[in-house]
Amino acid sequence: MTRWGMVIDLDKCSACQACVVACQSENNVAPPNQELHEQGRSIHWIRVLPTFEGTFPHFRMRLFPLPCLHCDNPPCTKVCPVSATYKSEEGIIGQIFSRCIGCRYCTTACPYTVREFNWKKPVWPEEMKPIRNRDVSIRPKGVVEKCTLCTHRLQKGREKARVEGREMIPEDYIPACVEVCPSQAMIFGDLDDPESEVSKLVRSRRAFRLMEDLGTEPKVIYLSEGGGD
Amino acid sequence: MKVSEQDQILLKPVEQTTKRFWITAAILFSIWFIGFLAYLRQFHSGLGVTGLSRPTYWGIYITNFVFFIGISHAGTLISAILRISQAEWRRAITRSAEVITVMVLLFGVGNILIDLGRPDRMLNVIKHPHFTSPLLWDVTSITCYLTASSIYLYLPLIPDIARLRDRGVKWQRFYRILALGWQETPKQKRILERLISIMAVVVIPIAVSVHTVVSYVFSMTIQPMWHSAIFGPYFVVGAIFSGIAALMIAMAIIRKVYRLEEYLKEIHFNYLGILLLVMSLLWFYFTFSEYLTVFYGNEPLEMEIFRSKMSGPYAFYFWMMVGCCFVIPFVILANRKTRTVRGTVIASIAVTIGMWLERFTIVVPSLVNPRLPYVRGIYHPTLVEFAITAGCFAAFILLYMIFTKIFPIVSIWEIEEGRESSLQEVHERVKGYLPGMGGKSE
Ligand code: SF4
Ligand code: SF4
């Protein structure tokens, strides 16, 4: 069985935010606006999270690109009363926007605070409307949304392989953020395939997961800094 | 069926409506209407009109939800316990308690619907139920509770409805249908009493389950200071606590407005006051255990929230809660001299405010301090939220008032029955307890 996962190498990440922008346009996330941002209501499916250890001047700052971690044991899906958020067979935590009733129980249950809510109807500048991605639905107000690992690309990749009469290869399915990362800090693939690059990296000594002690078993795995390999 | 001379006063509110009633109703209606307009605005433009934002996804609507569902324990639970334990002093107060339950439940459910981002899709809960979600258990148990407590309110109403039908002043047809052909035959009475006692037993576990499940909505998540095993009983105790307080406030108003001093006596307030005192102590015990264990555990994330309640931005609400739920009621109610009608009502008002604050300090601070360090927010409810909340309270009081205009708020037949048979019955019963009195021992 395929189990999609992602590895983010913090050594390579330069916090350039290319992933943030790519995700924004790939998934039809309405452009940020000052007012909403100040209210804590801007929507990003992936953001670069700064963390601080210690106090000035002896402190260390780390930056984590943070999408939904697609937990293998996700607290968010258990609590949804209508199964609007669910775990697919291949481990992707999907979100059915047309079913979500907007109770925001999932957002309170997710310990990583990566779920977003549409407080208002998203506003698009006229000139941006034609360039929206047709493969991704536009969310109305009042529903929860979040990173889906660009599942529409998985469908596309699968269909492409079928039409061409072959097995899927890793290049057929790459999420937008991974694709654009200029320093190739993000690597995507099948965690269950022992030969895949991700599963090799996951076995490296530098691999760790955010708040591992919670038992959520994220499938987005970080490689700590100072690797050199 | 005739209503005796002395009980005529119980029918007065149904038969005569004063000017004062209309004025109060008009004021309450206006408040409700403002709340309704505020809701329309929210419905139209989305939850952005509230003060909620990441990471505080829940605010005063959820607080209201927990609070109202808590108040609902007034009625059914208290009245059922008093009925089962054959507390004779219950007769004048059960009805007013049961009405609170049914009406306030509607507002509890209403607040959940108000909180939904897509209320138009609420039926998805039935179309696509997902049973691992505590919210779904909530829907299930609250529906059960609403059904059971409506039946439990209706059954003891039947004989009184028949009395109204026989007077034939107004709405004859309406009362005739609802009275279900009640003629007070011994057989009918036997059946009714049987049904009431069955319902009284059924309703208690349902009521306990309701607030337990409400608490599970929080404690089933792994959020700091929510993930607590004590939440189930803690919420149930709090619910009964606020329920009794709400009941006493309602009783005091009814007594004053409809001049029912003869029925709702000092002694009722005294007894309920003692009950409230006990619940206050229990509440304190639970709160103490909850916070002390967190403090000793000293987990960094929990401590952050703990501090925000003890001395941080939520300290005002927290300490006000302690004052309202424990200090004020304890001082007033522990003293026989101050446990008067006025004293108990002051204590009850304090408890009601305190319990709302308790719900608030449980819901909000945990959300404001999520596990990840990058998002923090402070939550300030907006005017829209206040207007909707005020609208809910006004509508509740209005509905309650309207009920007293349609049905007697003190159960007439139970009072009559008390006069006719319970003196004798209690005499026999007490004899039964005592050794050497020759009473029949069951
Ligand atoms: S990171 Fe949050 S939203 Fe994503 S799967 Fe885990 S719990 Fe769910
Ligand atoms: S907000 Fe939507 S996805 Fe989240 S729990 Fe509620 S219905 Fe499910």
Side-chain angles (χ1 to χ4, degrees), chain A residues 68-71 74-76 93 110-112 114-115 146:
Chain A
C68 163
L69 303 184
H70 294 269
C71 309
C76 58
I93 310 299
C110 166
Y112 301 99
V114 297
R115 291 181 158 256
K146 67 167 218 11

Side-chain angles (χ1 to χ4, degrees), chain A residues 39-43 47 49-51 66 75 77-83 97-105 107-117 119-121 140-143 210-211 214 216, chain B residues 42-58 115-119 121-122 124-125 128-130 132-136 216-218 220-223 226 367 370-375:
Chain A
Q39 293 168 341
R41 288 173 176 162
S42 57
I43 292 181
R47 49 182 82 217
L49 155 77
T51 64
L66 184 76
T77 59
K78 276 188 273 186
V79 299
C80 177
V82 296
S83 314
F97 306 122
S98 59
R99 188 188 284 181
C100 170
I101 56 174
C103 61
R104 308 186 300 296
Y105 197 179
T107 55
T108 61
C110 166
Y112 301 99
T113 337
V114 297
R115 291 181 158 256
E116 303 278 8
F117 182 68
W119 301 98
K120 292 184 172 155
K121 192 163 172 265
K141 70 163 196 270
V143 302
L210 270 192
M211 296 194 273
L214 291 180
T216 48
Chain B
Q42 175 183 311
F43 185 83
H44 181 76
S45 51
L47 284 166
V49 297
T50 64
L52 299 167
S53 63
R54 180 185 54 240
T56 326
Y57 287 101
W58 284 349
D115 185 68
L116 289 188
R118 296 296 305 228
R121 292 182 185 162
M122 63 188 179
N124 280 3
V125 178
H128 311 282
H130 184 228
T132 59
S133 168
L135 264 191
L136 202 82
Y216 285 176
V217 167
F218 302 100
M220 294 273 170
T221 69
I222 44 174
Q223 298 304 344
W226 275 5
L367 288 174
R371 287 178 183 271
L372 269 192
Y374 80 118
V375 268

Side-chain angles (χ1 to χ4, degrees), chain B residues 77-90 152 197 200-201 204 275 425-426 429 433:
Chain B
L77 198 58
I78 296 165
S79 117
I81 292 173
L82 294 182
R83 269 218 178 89
I84 289 176
S85 61
Q86 299 190 330
E88 280 302 325
W89 56 278
R90 72 167 192 273
Y152 187 61
S197 34
V201 176
I204 292 177
L275 218 53
E425 196 262 336
V426 170
R429 196 179 341 137
Y433 305 147

Side-chain angles (χ1 to χ4, degrees), chain A residues 20-229:
Chain A
V20 177
V21 178
C23 175
Q24 208 89 4
S25 62
E26 172 75 15
N27 291 300
N28 296 336
V29 178
N33 102 14
Q34 185 69 25
E35 188 199 335
L36 287 181
H37 182 74
E38 275 164 13
Q39 293 168 341
R41 288 173 176 162
S42 57
I43 292 181
H44 297 280
W45 286 11
I46 180 170
R47 49 182 82 217
V48 179
L49 155 77
T51 64
F52 304 90
E53 280 159 35
T55 43
F56 186 81
H58 307 288
F59 81 102
R60 182 163 87 132
M61 184 173 157
R62 299 174 90 184
L63 295 155
F64 293 91
L66 184 76
C68 163
L69 303 184
H70 294 269
C71 309
D72 251 350
N73 184 13
C76 58
T77 59
K78 276 188 273 186
V79 299
C80 177
V82 296
S83 314
T85 184
Y86 63 95
K87 186 172 148 189
S88 79
E89 277 182 0
E90 301 186 348
I92 294 177
I93 310 299
Q95 180 79 6
I96 308 173
F97 306 122
S98 59
R99 188 188 284 181
C100 170
I101 56 174
C103 61
R104 308 186 300 296
Y105 197 179
C106 54
T107 55
T108 61
C110 166
Y112 301 99
T113 337
V114 297
R115 291 181 158 256
E116 303 278 8
F117 182 68
N118 287 277
W119 301 98
K120 292 184 172 155
K121 192 163 172 265
V123 186
W124 294 84
E126 228 19 74
E127 56 274 23
M128 276 183 83
K129 282 187 182 161
I131 54 167
R132 287 187 298 208
N133 187 351
R134 287 209 193 94
D135 297 334
V136 180
S137 55
I138 310 278
R139 279 80 57 189
K141 70 163 196 270
V143 302
V144 164
E145 60 182 57
K146 67 167 218 11
C147 153
T148 61
L149 286 181
C150 297
T151 32
H152 55 284
R153 289 191 171 204
L154 173 59
Q155 278 169 19
K156 261 193 158 169
R158 211 169 253 147
E159 267 156 39
K160 186 159 169 256
R162 210 192 51 219
V163 169
E164 291 171 8
R166 58 177 174 81
E167 286 284 300
M168 248 182 86
I169 50 167
E171 287 73 37
D172 284 331
Y173 173 32
I174 302 174
C177 53
V178 177
E179 192 180 358
V180 300
C181 180
S183 48
Q184 293 180 350
M186 303 169 103
I187 304 104
F188 186 76
D190 179 6
L191 290 170
D192 272 1
D193 172 6
E195 294 309 311
S196 73
E197 203 186 343
V198 273
S199 64
K200 281 183 198 148
L201 287 172
V202 164
R203 272 173 273 150
S204 97
R205 280 233 228 100
R206 292 161 58 211
F208 73 98
R209 309 176 199 213
L210 270 192
M211 296 194 273
E212 188 146 22
D213 49 335
L214 291 180
T216 48
E217 298 173 27
K219 285 197 292 290
V220 172
I221 292 124
Y222 295 92
L223 299 183
S224 65
E225 305 90 330
D229 47 34

